[in-house]
Amino acid sequence: MKINDHVTWVGINDSSSKQFHGDAYRTPHGTSYNAYLIEDEKNALIDTVYSKHSHDFIEKLQNTMDIKSIDYLIIQHGEIDHTGGLMDLLEIIPDVIIYCTEECMYTIKGHYHRDFHFVLVKTGDILNLGKRKLMFFEMKMLHWPDNMMTYLLEDQLLFSSDVYSQHLDKSGHMTQQDKIDEAMKFYANIFTPFSRLYQAKIKQIKGYDLSIKTICPSHGFIWDNRDILNYYDLWSQDYQENQITILYDSYWGGTETLAKNISEGILVEDHTTIVKCFKISTCEANDLILEIFKSKAILIGSPTINNGYTSSIAALLNDIKGMRYHKKKASAFGCHGWSGEAVLQIRDFLKESGFDCLDKSLNCLWQPDESNAYEAHLFGKYIARHS
Ligand code: FEO
């Protein structure tokens, strides 16, 4: 797919893969592994693809050009969904020069246990291709230590690595809103812990006074306007919507009853708030992370089991802790039969994870009766007032 006269997308669309990062990230719309070829007096290939598509990738490249005429490989990130075609490629062009960050060199050596002809780049370094020039920008911890972006000066075209990506198979039809929604899910799950770094890095890049017309990420669709930059600006500044999310597990329905009554109480107090309620064992973890990302407050509910919370709640809390959220309110609720530790343990965990925990939580002995249901309703009203 031609992007312009001299830049060609040579990646792979994958509509069949529904999982990414092992089983950790559901990709119901598939994904694409984007690689880009820039043809000039010197030819440069930016990134490769996931190893399971390496054969198709090499074939595609062969149909596009003589692979031996590639002078430079630009590797923006060492994760194997972008370097998986490297070994097959280097069988054909073993002496090609690889431009990457120092950290990326270590990643490549760590993954493939081979040494190559590396040229290490830093922010602001320029590679001259002839009529056109590439400028590199280190993007440390966005989202690995090794990431970088590459800017094609003459075309005002930014190759952004994972930043601005969406897990979408590019060959499918998607609306602009579909693309934004998937980009948001990608941000919520991958970049949230690094939001402050993103802000600092973008400030540094703005200092170069670059005009950006087209953005070519490593997954999904190419952006032909700057809207995604505005969204990232928003998402990376303690983003929240007027949403309260209730996430719970329930063995015998008691904690679920509390969740429903809390939800009603919130809406009675403030009908403008979006309230979403999830029984987490029936949901995908990364969909829940997206909902938490959008929330101004979250409530987590669990029955007490073996003096603690359930294993599904433990897994969710583990995911939450890594996200380093800021400025979100939280509380906990749940039913118990005798000891009842889960609620306070969840509350403590959320507090340690950076949430602003409200003073009140809700603990109910045995199944909720009418009076407990009303207490949960009042708790919901309290949450609405304090979120
Ligand atoms: Fe698409 Fe961080 O790999």
Side-chain angles (χ1 to χ4, degrees):
M1 186 192 94
K2 282 273 182 198
I3 294 172
N4 62 29
D5 281 351
H6 41 274
V7 182
T8 309
W9 176 83
V10 288
I12 293 289
N13 286 318
D14 183 351
S15 59
S16 61
S17 287
K18 305 299 182 195
Q19 251 111 5
F20 188 80
H21 278 163
D23 294 330
Y25 193 129
R26 288 273 298 141
T27 53
H29 309 292
T31 193
S32 69
Y33 304 100
N34 296 341
Y36 302 94
L37 180 67
I38 305 165
E39 292 174 274
D40 201 327
E41 289 161 28
K42 296 285 187 184
N43 299 318
L45 175 67
I46 299 188
D47 294 327
T48 70
V49 298
Y50 188 18
S51 45
K52 71 176 180 179
H53 298 294
S54 181
H55 178 79
D56 291 344
F57 171 65
I58 298 291
E59 196 173 278
K60 187 172 200 167
L61 263 182
Q62 269 161 348
N63 292 334
T64 308
M65 69 177 316
D66 174 9
I67 290 181
K68 290 190 174 159
S69 70
I70 296 173
D71 300 284
Y72 308 128
L73 281 184
I74 316 295
I75 299 296
Q76 302 188 109
H77 176 29
E79 201 165 4
I80 61 160
D81 52 330
H82 307 297
T83 56
L86 204 49
M87 293 304 109
D88 286 340
L89 199 55
L90 289 163
E91 288 295 313
I92 305 169
I93 43 174
D95 298 322
V96 73
I97 303 171
I98 299 178
Y99 283 78
C100 65
T101 63
E102 182 178 2
E103 290 84 355
C104 191
M105 175 185 72
Y106 297 134
T107 309
I108 292 169
K109 286 182 177 179
H111 276 147
Y112 304 106
H113 307 289
R114 296 225 349 228
D115 204 358
F116 302 107
H117 184 169
F118 290 104
V119 172
L120 305 183
V121 300
K122 290 193 173 299
T123 295
D125 286 356
I126 285 181
L127 172 62
N128 200 332
L129 300 178
K131 295 187 184 67
R132 297 168 193 85
K133 290 180 280 304
L134 295 173
M135 183 183 274
F136 302 110
F137 294 95
E138 294 162 278
M139 298 295 284
K140 198 176 176 90
M141 289 319 298
L142 289 160
H143 66 122
W144 276 23
D146 63 2
N147 283 86
M148 71 173 184
M149 288 187 184
T150 306
Y151 180 69
L152 180 53
L153 277 83
E154 288 72 13
D155 295 334
Q156 301 174 342
L157 200 153
L158 182 69
F159 301 96
S160 60
S161 190
D162 281 330
V163 183
Y164 314 131
S165 284
Q166 332 97 53
H167 278 311
L168 291 173
D169 163 19
K170 246 162 44 61
S171 62
H173 174 73
M174 291 286 158
T175 65
Q176 182 71 1
Q177 192 56 50
D178 293 335
K179 296 172 195 172
I180 297 293
D181 289 348
E182 277 301 318
M184 188 188 207
K185 182 174 166 183
F186 197 103
Y187 186 96
N189 279 274
I190 306 289
F191 287 113
T192 301
F194 314 114
S195 290
R196 278 158 171 69
L197 287 176
Y198 175 81
Q199 280 289 325
K201 182 49 73 174
I202 285 302
K203 196 172 168 193
Q204 184 193 24
I205 292 174
K206 278 182 181 162
Y208 284 80
D209 201 20
L210 308 176
S211 175
I212 298 170
K213 273 192 189 158
T214 308
I215 298 169
C216 298
S218 287
H219 300 281
F221 289 84
I222 291 163
W223 303 99
D224 56 12
N225 60 46
R226 297 169 53 89
D227 289 357
I228 191 64
L229 299 177
N230 298 331
Y231 280 109
Y232 260 61
D233 201 37
L234 213 58
W235 297 339
S236 57
Q237 297 188 72
D238 302 330
Y239 181 75
Q240 51 182 249
E241 298 177 9
N242 186 21
Q243 175 174 328
I244 298 175
T245 303
I246 302 171
L247 309 113
Y248 67 91
D249 196 359
S250 190
Y251 274 18
W252 297 111
T255 303
E256 185 162 49
T257 299
L258 294 181
K260 287 178 180 161
N261 283 282
I262 294 167
S263 170
E264 285 165 13
I266 295 171
L267 284 170
V268 165
E269 184 69 23
D270 180 3
H271 71 278
T272 66
T273 302
I274 298 164
V275 182
K276 295 190 183 176
C277 209
F278 299 100
K279 184 174 187 181
I280 65 167
S281 52
T282 63
C283 303
E284 295 295 342
N286 34 60
D287 291 334
L288 297 177
I289 290 296
L290 172 61
E291 296 302 335
I292 295 169
F293 174 72
K294 291 194 278 187
S295 301
K296 62 180 180 180
I298 64 165
L299 302 173
I300 295 194
S302 174
T304 293
I305 172 77
N306 296 336
N307 307 105
Y309 36 78
T310 69
S311 54
S312 63
I313 292 292
L316 177 69
L317 290 175
N318 188 53
D319 285 347
I320 285 175
K321 188 171 189 178
M323 291 296 163
R324 301 179 211 153
Y325 295 113
H326 296 273
K327 299 184 183 169
K328 290 189 192 295
K329 302 276 174 58
S331 190
F333 64 97
C335 288
H336 64 278
W338 47 102
S339 57
E341 294 93 335
V343 170
L344 280 184
Q345 286 178 9
I346 293 169
R347 205 175 162 281
D348 287 348
F349 192 100
L350 291 170
K351 203 169 181 181
E352 281 171 25
S353 305
F355 285 81
D356 180 6
C357 278
L358 298 174
D359 290 338
K360 285 188 188 169
S361 50
L362 180 66
N363 215 341
C364 174
L365 181 63
W366 298 115
Q367 284 285 342
D369 61 10
E370 255 183 52
S371 138
N372 299 129
Y374 185 59
E375 195 186 351
H377 179 91
L378 293 180
F379 181 61
K381 294 181 80 168
Y382 163 83
I383 297 295
R385 282 196 303 277
H386 292 85
S387 295

